[in-house]
Structures are given as C-alpha cells and as structure tokens.
Amino acid sequence: MRLRSTILLAAMLGLAGCATPSQIPPVEAAPEAPYTLDAGDKLRVTVFGQDGLTNSYAVNASGKIAVPLIGPVEARGRTTESLARAITAKLRQGYVREPHVAVEVEAYRPFFVLGEVTAAGQYAYVNGMTVETAVAIAGGFSPRAYKTYAEVSRVVDGQLVRTSVPLTYPVRPGDTINVIERWL
C-alpha cells in the first residue's frame, strides 16, 4: 500500500519514474536570460533633451506603454534595450531629430507565493531572489510544508511552464511559487 501511495504522489507531482519526492532529480538553473518586460512593470524612460517625454510609464495589461507624441509602444517580451530602440525609431519619424532614449526598470512586476506558507499572496520582487528567500518573505513554511523543493510556474516564450525546483532556484518577476504539502 505504501509503494502505491508513493507512486500516486509521484504521478500527482509530475515525477513519474522517481521513487519518492526526496529523489527528485536536481534541476539545473538555466543561464540567466535577459529580463523581458511584461504587464505590471514600471519603467523610467529618459529622452535626453526632451523633458516633456522623460517620465515613468507602467506597462499596461495589453503589454504596451503610452508615450506622448508617438502613442502606444509594445513593451511585452522586449528587453529594456529593445524598447529604447523602438521608442527611438518612432521618435525619429518626424518628432525628434536625433533622439537618444534610455529605458530602465523602476519597479518589477510582483511574484506570487501559494500553498504551504504562513502568508500566501503577492509580493514585490527583489533582485537576486531564490525560492527560499521568496518563502521567507511569505512568512516561512507552514508545519505541513515540504521543505526540500517547490513548484515554480513561469511564462517562457508565451507558454506557461511549471516545474519542481530546489529552494536555491532563482525567482523572476511574475513567477508563481507553490509550496507543496508534505504527505508523509
């Protein structure tokens, strides 16, 4: 009966082929990809010599920022450098002769923590976070939490990817961390 429940647990967690949760194969952290913008990010756009265009802009739900003169500019999925080039190109089309644009992230979109933590919810992202520090921000593990790994859901290339990761895995803005309940 115990073997059957272990296999059932492994299947529920997407760990087919693993005998127990403690034998989860380690997940290698992928090389850090450049940060791409999405809804909820707050940006500081500086157009040198154009104080009226220099401002803070929020990426809206449709993934755009509304810049005076040129209108909405697609930000979702772009890096800050790519967005700066897009704004420069639009400003060059009859609005500013030699635009020089810089874009920086003023505030990252939040991350979310669910499951067996003291205070599940939405939290402000801080650079360099790991799953473990995210759990600490959410008040720590509950008594029933599985404290060796967690599930992280992240949008990668427009697709939602969910995987089990060790507590040292890096968290990115917009991630959802689910701390699993311990069954045994």
Side-chain angles (χ1 to χ4, degrees):
M1 181 66 176
R2 184 175 173 110
L3 178 60
R4 184 170 189 259
S5 65
T6 301
I7 293 169
L8 177 61
L9 175 62
M12 288 175 60
L13 295 175
L15 304 171
C18 294
T20 64
S22 64
Q23 295 175 335
I24 295 170
V27 175
E28 294 294 321
E32 197 64 27
Y35 180 69
T36 56
L37 303 169
D38 207 346
D41 287 328
K42 190 171 182 183
L43 308 173
R44 179 73 180 164
V45 177
T46 305
V47 182
F48 297 98
Q50 302 293 324
D51 293 338
L53 297 175
T54 297
N55 206 347
S56 293
Y57 299 93
V59 180
N60 65 22
S62 65
K64 298 178 179 173
I65 61 171
V67 181
L69 294 178
I70 60 175
V73 179
E74 184 68 41
R76 177 176 283 141
R78 288 188 162 162
T79 63
T80 53
E81 294 82 13
S82 171
L83 180 59
R85 286 191 301 270
I87 293 170
T88 299
K90 281 192 163 196
L91 286 172
R92 193 171 280 135
Q93 296 173 354
Y95 299 103
V96 179
R97 184 173 299 193
E98 281 294 320
H100 296 285
V101 179
V103 177
E104 62 184 331
V105 179
E106 201 170 75
Y108 292 97
R109 61 188 176 271
F111 69 95
F112 305 87
V113 183
L114 306 171
E116 296 299 321
V117 291
T118 304
Q122 169 183 312
Y123 295 95
Y125 176 80
V126 179
N127 272 328
M129 289 184 62
T130 63
V131 171
E132 187 172 41
T133 55
V135 169
I137 289 170
F141 292 110
S142 76
R144 296 184 310 218
Y146 196 78
K147 299 174 184 169
T148 307
Y149 74 95
E151 289 182 355
V152 172
S153 300
R154 178 181 293 168
V155 176
V156 178
D157 295 328
Q159 299 290 327
L160 181 66
V161 176
R162 181 177 294 138
T163 186
S164 296
V165 298
L167 298 180
T168 56
Y169 192 76
V171 174
R172 299 206 58 182
D175 281 358
T176 299
I177 300 159
N178 188 13
V179 176
I180 306 300
E181 180 180 6
R182 180 171 34 105
W183 289 51
L184 306 173

